[in-house]
């Protein structure tokens, strides 16, 4: 009877104690979240319930398994399995807690500060910090798991003795990876590019969607994703339209006939912008910027609060201005001259058409 009750008491007690303690902790976090709505940390910590239960239950079973006197022939193997589960669940719990702290800090910062550029910069930094912490915890957890095996402990001396050679080999083999790793940290804390920035890379216009320690993803206007190593952004030039503020100035060019009514076009541009919700009202203008033997180049200058709105303003101005010219001033549109050239004034003949002098000869 004792052989049955002892395992039941040990295992059942560990499970019951885990459930009771987990419920008490969750109840305390829920009450704290209700009292402090301005701090999202307590609500985020409730996401750690599963790894916390697993850590607590595994720790209790690992500590009390010897008292259960169950499967004595396999006690060493079971103890090692419990140790591995405990290490893995503890790493999971640490990552969840770190994620909750990072997300809570970012949420409070985004609530207090209204500057979109600063908020995107902090978001990029905390995201990379979270990934670094997760990577470090994962490496430590795997190392701790390996050290639970006696063979790995015996190989420790040999590994330390060959650490110099392995370091050189690993450095050469992982040169690109390490370069991207340090480039990711440089991007995060050097404020070169942030999540949500509008960039132009290799002629592609898009928004930075994700930044990791090794790659950066750009979402283009047509919903494609361009994935590039982060080292690209530290070694090659690129356009960042969001740096220093999201406000932008755009231009629309028209190639028109010399008779185009520029003054009336200027008035029409003002009317178009007044009805365009994407125009931010900062500035506008229209001027003749160039001329050719057959056309005028007219530039319309407009402004908007960000890259998306400047695109909307430009296409709106282009469409409505061309439509207005077609309906009201069709003569202003460029045309190809197909008529014959006008004759030269009387008395002025081209040299190659001048009459030749009469030839004189004998007889």
């Amino acid at each position: 009877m004792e052989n049955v009750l002892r395992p039941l008491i040990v295992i059942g007690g560990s499970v019951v104690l885990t459930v009771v303690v987990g419920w008490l902790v969750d109840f305390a976090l829920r009450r704290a979240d209700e009292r402090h709505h301005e701090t999202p940390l307590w609500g985020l910590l409730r996401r750690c319930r599963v790894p916390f239960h697993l850590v607590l239950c595994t720790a209790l079973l690992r500590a009390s398994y010897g008292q259960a006197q169950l499967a004595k022939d396999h006690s060493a193997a079971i103890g090692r399995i419990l140790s591995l589960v405990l290490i893995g669940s503890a790493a999971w719990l640490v990552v969840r807690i770190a994620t909750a702290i990072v997300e809570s800090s970012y949420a409070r910062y985004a609530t207090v500060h209204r500057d979109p550029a600063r908020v995107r910069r902090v978001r990029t930094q905390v995201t990379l910090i979270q990934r670094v912490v997760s990577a470090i915890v994962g490496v430590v957890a795997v190392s701790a798991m390996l050290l639970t095996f006696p063979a790995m402990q015996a190989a420790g001396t040999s590994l330390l003795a060959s650490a110099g050679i392995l370091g050189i080999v690993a450095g050469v083999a992982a040169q690109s990876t390490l370069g991207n790793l340090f480039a990711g940290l440089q991007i995060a804390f050097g404020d070169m590019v942030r999540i949500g920035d509008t960039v132009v890379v290799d002629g592609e216009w898009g928004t930075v969607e994700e930044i990791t320690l090794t790659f950066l993803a750009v979402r283009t206007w047509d919903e494609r994703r361009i994935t590039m190593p982060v080292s690209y952004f530290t070694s090659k030039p690129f356009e960042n339209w969001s740096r220093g503020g999201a406000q932008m100035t755009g231009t629309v060019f028209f190639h028109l006939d010399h008779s185009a009514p520029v003054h009336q076009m200027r008035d029409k541009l003002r009317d178009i912008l007044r009805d365009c919700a994407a125009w931010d009202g900062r500035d506008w203008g229209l001027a003749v910027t160039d001329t050719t033997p057959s056309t005028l180049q007219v530039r319309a200058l407009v402004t908007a609060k960000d890259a998306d709105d400047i695109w909307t303003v430009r296409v709106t101005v282009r469409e409505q201005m061309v439509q207005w010219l077609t309906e009201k001033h069709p003569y202003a549109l460029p045309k190809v001259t197909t008529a014959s050239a006008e004759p030269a004034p009387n008395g002025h003949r081209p040299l190659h058409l001048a009459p030749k002098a009469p030839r004189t000869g004998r007889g």
Side-chain angles (χ1 to χ4, degrees):
M1 188 66 179
E2 182 180 359
N3 294 334
V4 177
L5 291 177
R6 186 184 294 272
L8 290 177
I9 292 174
V10 172
I11 299 176
S14 299
V15 174
V16 171
L17 187 59
T18 299
V19 173
V20 172
V21 174
W23 183 85
L24 292 175
V25 172
D26 184 66
F27 177 77
L29 292 175
R30 186 168 62 251
R31 292 294 299 273
D33 187 38
E34 294 174 355
R35 293 179 180 179
H36 305 282
H37 296 285
E38 73 282 358
T39 305
L41 177 62
W42 310 112
L44 294 173
L45 286 176
R46 294 188 62 197
R47 301 178 183 177
C48 306
R49 293 191 299 268
V50 175
F52 176 75
H53 290 167
L54 188 59
V55 168
L56 183 59
C57 185
T58 307
L60 292 174
L61 289 175
R62 185 67 182 86
S64 60
Y65 178 76
Q67 304 297 328
Q69 297 182 1
L70 183 66
K72 296 181 180 180
D73 296 338
H74 305 282
S75 58
I78 295 176
R80 183 172 295 113
I81 292 174
L82 291 175
S83 298
L84 295 175
V85 174
L86 179 60
I87 294 172
S89 58
W92 185 14
L93 178 61
V94 171
V95 171
R96 281 290 183 90
I97 293 175
T99 302
I101 294 175
V102 169
E103 291 183 3
S104 174
S105 302
Y106 168 71
R108 295 188 62 180
Y109 186 89
T111 303
V112 175
H113 297 81
R114 299 297 182 181
D115 186 1
R118 296 180 63 183
V119 172
R120 290 198 303 269
R121 179 182 61 189
V122 173
R123 179 185 177 188
T124 302
Q125 293 176 351
V126 298
T127 300
L128 289 180
I129 290 174
Q130 177 182 340
R131 294 180 184 275
V132 170
V133 171
S134 300
I136 293 175
V137 172
V139 171
V140 172
V142 172
S143 302
M145 288 180 178
L146 293 176
L147 291 177
T148 59
F149 296 91
M152 295 302 299
Q153 295 176 358
T157 304
S158 300
L159 291 175
L160 290 176
S162 59
I165 299 176
L166 290 177
I168 296 175
V169 174
V172 173
Q175 183 178 3
S176 177
T177 302
L178 292 176
N180 285 327
L181 175 62
F182 289 112
L185 296 176
Q186 184 178 353
I187 285 177
F189 297 98
D191 198 24
M192 299 174 58
V193 62
R194 299 158 297 215
I195 296 175
D197 281 3
T198 301
V199 297
V200 178
V201 182
D202 283 345
E204 295 284 353
W205 176 88
T207 303
V208 177
E209 188 175 52
E210 183 181 6
I211 299 178
T212 69
L213 291 177
T214 56
F215 70 89
L216 187 147
V218 177
R219 177 173 54 84
T220 61
W221 63 273
D222 54 355
E223 302 299 331
R224 290 179 292 118
R225 267 65 174 180
I226 301 176
T227 302
M228 309 184 70
V230 292
S231 59
Y232 176 92
F233 293 85
T234 60
S235 59
K236 296 183 179 180
F238 65 96
E239 296 183 28
N240 189 343
W241 291 3
S242 301
R243 185 173 177 83
Q247 296 176 341
M248 296 195 66
T249 299
T251 56
V252 182
F253 287 94
F254 301 95
H255 295 275
L256 306 174
D257 188 79
H258 289 92
S259 60
V262 178
H263 295 288
Q264 297 182 39
M265 289 180 62
R266 192 173 290 114
D267 296 336
K268 181 60 178 179
L269 175 62
R270 182 178 60 249
D271 296 338
I272 294 174
L273 293 177
R274 285 175 178 174
D275 297 333
C276 182
W279 180 55
D280 62 357
R282 287 189 297 118
D283 194 13
W284 68 278
L286 187 139
V288 177
T289 56
D290 196 6
T291 180
T292 68
S294 58
T295 61
L296 288 177
Q297 185 184 71
V298 180
R299 185 197 68 183
L301 184 144
V302 294
T303 59
K305 64 180 179 63
D306 55 30
D308 292 335
D309 282 356
I310 200 65
W311 171 265
T312 302
V313 175
R314 291 175 63 194
V315 296
T316 301
V317 169
R318 185 181 296 112
E319 177 182 348
Q320 295 190 20
M321 185 66 75
V322 170
Q323 182 179 1
W324 177 76
L325 289 172
T326 303
E327 295 176 354
K328 303 296 184 181
H329 304 278
Y331 60 87
L333 299 177
K335 57 183 71 71
V336 179
T337 303
T338 58
S340 302
E342 295 183 3
N346 294 333
H348 297 277
R349 296 184 178 181
L351 293 178
H352 65 279
L353 296 179
K356 296 182 180 179
R359 297 179 61 184
T360 59
R362 296 179 180 179

